[in-house]
């Protein structure tokens, strides 16, 4: 791989993994800040796209805005659901493991909508992913703590316990809906790319720009949690006499790392095969999971580890990364042996 590819891989790991750290710092302080985080990420990427992709509105999109409408709606719903689920007792490790089941959701939607059929290894990988997610979900269900929005808490201990389970279950349902919508979005993207050609940078820009008016529906919620962030303890920056609210600093870094993460993924997509990109992103998710567990001391039992290993093993089998990445090494060794035999003869 060339320098540009290696720098993109580094950007994916540094940007995406550090993004998870700042995301969890925000969520631990204010579990209901999902809409604020989503809006902030959409805003910064839309601004970047307006400057560099549309050249301040002078470059017209190849894909029509009407065609973007359905894609934008699904993308908006997916991101809002994923971030809003934090408000319903969903711990970060379970959130990341659950979202790793996107391959399973894509296969189910491909079978249901496109009538696709897959080889045995694909079904095996989906089975591993499904078992892993179910195991992590069931184990987490026995460890649910009432960390939801204080307004949702009950006054008695018994009702509080039932309330915690109820809101946790609702969070799982929201994550499931997000997975299915994301799978449908992938199918629709395939349709658009077949019709107009691959316009990844353009799609990135418009899928973040067009949903911005939709956040007006959540304006009061976004403002409420922005005020909460502004009211956080001041944080001194770089040993200088500049103090900013701690959560605002974390939010800014979350936006910056999200930009590094997404832009690096798109560079990687342009430089490498989809197989390599999928493998890199899978490994990135696993590193993010380890960071969340170790750094934030999240509860993670042996059953969680087994479930996580099943999820990521299934993901690697699905992408067929293991045989395809080893095959060039095997062929190189075979060629070298044959070359030596020719020399001895």
């Amino acid at each position: 791989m060339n320098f540009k590819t290696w720098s993109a891989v580094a950007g994916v790991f540094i940007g995406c993994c550090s993004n998870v750290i700042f995301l969890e710092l925000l969520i631990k302080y204010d579990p209901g800040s999902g809409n604020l985080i989503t809006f902030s990420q959409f805003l910064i990427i839309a601004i970047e796209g307006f400057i560099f992709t549309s050249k301040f509105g002078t470059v017209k999109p190849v894909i029509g805005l009407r065609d973007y409408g359905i894609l934008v709606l699904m993308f908006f719903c997916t991101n809002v659901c994923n971030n809003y689920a934090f408000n319903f007792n969903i711990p970060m490790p379970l959130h990341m493991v659950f979202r790793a089941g996107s391959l399973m959701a894509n296969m189910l939607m491909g079978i249901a909508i496109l009538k696709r059929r897959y080889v045995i290894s694909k079904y095996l990988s989906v089975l591993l992913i499904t078992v892993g997610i179910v195991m992590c979900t069931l184990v987490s269900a026995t460890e649910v703590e009432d960390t939801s929005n204080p307004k949702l808490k009950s006054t008695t201990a018994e009702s509080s316990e039932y309330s915690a389970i109820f809101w946790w279950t609702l969070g799982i349902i929201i994550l499931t809906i997000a997975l299915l919508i994301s799978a449908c979005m992938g199918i629709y993207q395939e349709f658009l790319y077949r019709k107009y050609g691959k316009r990844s940078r353009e799609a990135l820009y418009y899928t973040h720009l067009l949903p911005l008016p939709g956040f007006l529906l959540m304006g009061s919620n976004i403002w409420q949690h922005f005020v909460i962030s502004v009211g956080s303890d001041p944080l001194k920056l770089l040993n200088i006499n500049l103090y900013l609210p701690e959560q605002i600093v974390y939010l800014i870094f979350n936006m910056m790392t999200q930009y590094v993460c997404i832009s690096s993924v798109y560079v990687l997509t342009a430089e490498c095969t989809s197989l390599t990109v999928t493998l890199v992103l899978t490994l990135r998710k696993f590193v993010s999971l380890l960071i969340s567990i170790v750094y934030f001391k999240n509860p993670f039992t042996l059953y969680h580890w087994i479930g996580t290993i099943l999820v990521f093993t299934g993901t690697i089998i699905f992408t067929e990364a293991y045989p395809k990445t080893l095959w060039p090494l095997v062929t190189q060794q075979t060629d070298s042996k044959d070359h030596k035999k020719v020399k001895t003869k």
Side-chain angles (χ1 to χ4, degrees):
M1 292 191 293
N2 55 34
F3 175 77
K4 190 175 183 180
T5 304
W6 279 114
S7 62
V9 172
V12 168
F13 278 91
I14 295 173
C16 299
C17 292
S18 56
N19 180 260
V20 170
I21 293 176
F22 292 112
L23 175 62
E24 187 151 4
L25 287 170
L26 290 166
I27 294 301
K28 280 186 175 294
Y29 182 84
D30 181 13
S33 61
N35 289 332
L36 172 63
I37 297 170
T38 307
F39 170 72
S40 302
Q41 293 174 350
F42 273 54
L43 181 63
I44 191 64
I45 294 173
I47 292 174
E48 186 274 339
F50 179 72
I51 297 172
F52 296 103
T53 302
S54 73
K55 310 296 183 184
F56 296 95
T58 59
V59 177
K60 302 300 180 184
V62 176
I63 301 177
L65 296 181
R66 180 178 298 179
D67 291 317
Y68 273 126
I70 299 176
L71 183 65
V72 165
L73 179 62
M74 290 189 289
F75 185 72
F76 177 78
C77 292
T78 299
N79 280 273
V80 169
C81 286
N82 279 326
N83 282 338
Y84 196 62
F86 287 116
N87 204 34
F88 297 93
N89 294 347
I90 302 298
M92 179 64 78
L94 177 59
H95 189 277
M96 287 190 290
V97 171
F98 203 94
R99 290 182 66 180
S102 56
L103 289 176
M104 174 187 64
N106 275 280
M107 174 176 277
L108 292 176
M109 292 296 100
I111 294 173
I113 298 176
L114 301 178
K115 309 301 181 184
R116 287 177 175 171
R117 294 296 178 265
Y118 301 91
V119 296
I120 296 298
S121 62
K122 301 292 186 184
Y123 292 108
L124 174 62
S125 66
V126 168
L127 177 62
L128 291 175
I129 293 171
T130 303
V131 172
I133 290 177
V134 169
M135 180 178 294
C136 286
T137 304
L138 292 178
V139 173
S140 294
T142 63
E143 301 172 352
V144 173
E145 296 178 0
D146 193 5
T147 58
S148 58
N149 192 314
K151 294 181 179 179
L152 303 177
K153 292 183 179 181
S154 303
T155 54
T156 65
E158 183 178 359
S159 61
S160 179
E161 179 181 354
Y162 284 114
S163 175
I165 296 295
F166 171 78
W167 292 114
W168 176 86
T169 304
L170 186 57
I172 293 296
I173 293 174
I174 290 174
L175 285 177
T176 303
I177 292 173
L179 270 181
L180 297 178
I181 295 176
S182 178
C184 292
M185 184 178 71
I187 293 174
Y188 188 67
Q189 278 180 313
E190 288 184 24
F191 166 76
L192 291 180
Y193 289 157
R194 282 198 303 267
K195 185 177 179 180
Y196 296 101
K198 290 191 175 182
R199 307 286 173 180
S200 55
R201 293 294 302 180
E202 178 186 300
L204 174 67
Y205 168 51
Y206 282 101
T207 51
H208 286 80
L209 172 69
L210 298 179
L212 288 179
F215 285 101
L216 292 175
L217 300 175
M218 311 169 192
S220 59
N221 178 269
I222 293 173
W223 178 253
Q224 174 188 356
H225 292 283
F226 177 74
V227 172
I228 294 175
S229 297
V230 170
S232 60
D233 295 333
L235 184 66
K236 188 176 183 180
L237 300 179
L238 302 175
N239 293 324
I240 59 178
N241 292 325
L242 176 61
Y243 291 87
L244 287 176
E246 181 182 65
Q247 294 302 303
I248 295 298
V249 174
Y250 293 155
L251 183 62
I252 292 172
F253 277 104
N254 179 268
M255 295 162 60
M256 294 169 58
T257 53
Q258 177 71 3
Y259 169 74
V260 173
C261 174
I262 279 199
S263 60
S264 299
V265 168
Y266 277 88
V267 171
L268 199 62
T269 302
E271 294 292 322
C272 304
T273 63
S274 59
L275 175 65
T276 304
V277 175
T278 304
L279 183 59
V280 169
L281 295 180
T282 301
L283 294 175
R284 194 280 302 170
K285 289 177 182 178
F286 189 72
V287 172
S288 297
L289 183 64
L290 293 179
I291 291 174
S292 176
I293 295 166
V294 175
Y295 186 79
F296 291 99
K297 297 181 174 58
N298 280 305
F300 216 70
T301 66
L302 174 63
Y303 295 105
H304 280 104
W305 278 114
I306 295 174
T308 302
I309 292 172
L310 288 175
V311 167
F312 288 102
T313 301
T315 302
I316 292 174
I317 293 175
F318 189 96
T319 60
E320 299 177 354
Y322 181 75
K324 290 189 178 182
T325 52
L326 287 185
W327 181 248
L329 299 177
V330 175
T331 54
Q332 285 177 8
Q333 291 177 358
T334 304
D335 291 342
S336 62
K337 288 180 181 179
D338 292 341
H339 185 66
K340 288 180 181 178
K341 288 180 181 179
V342 171
K343 277 188 173 182
T344 55
K345 289 182 180 179

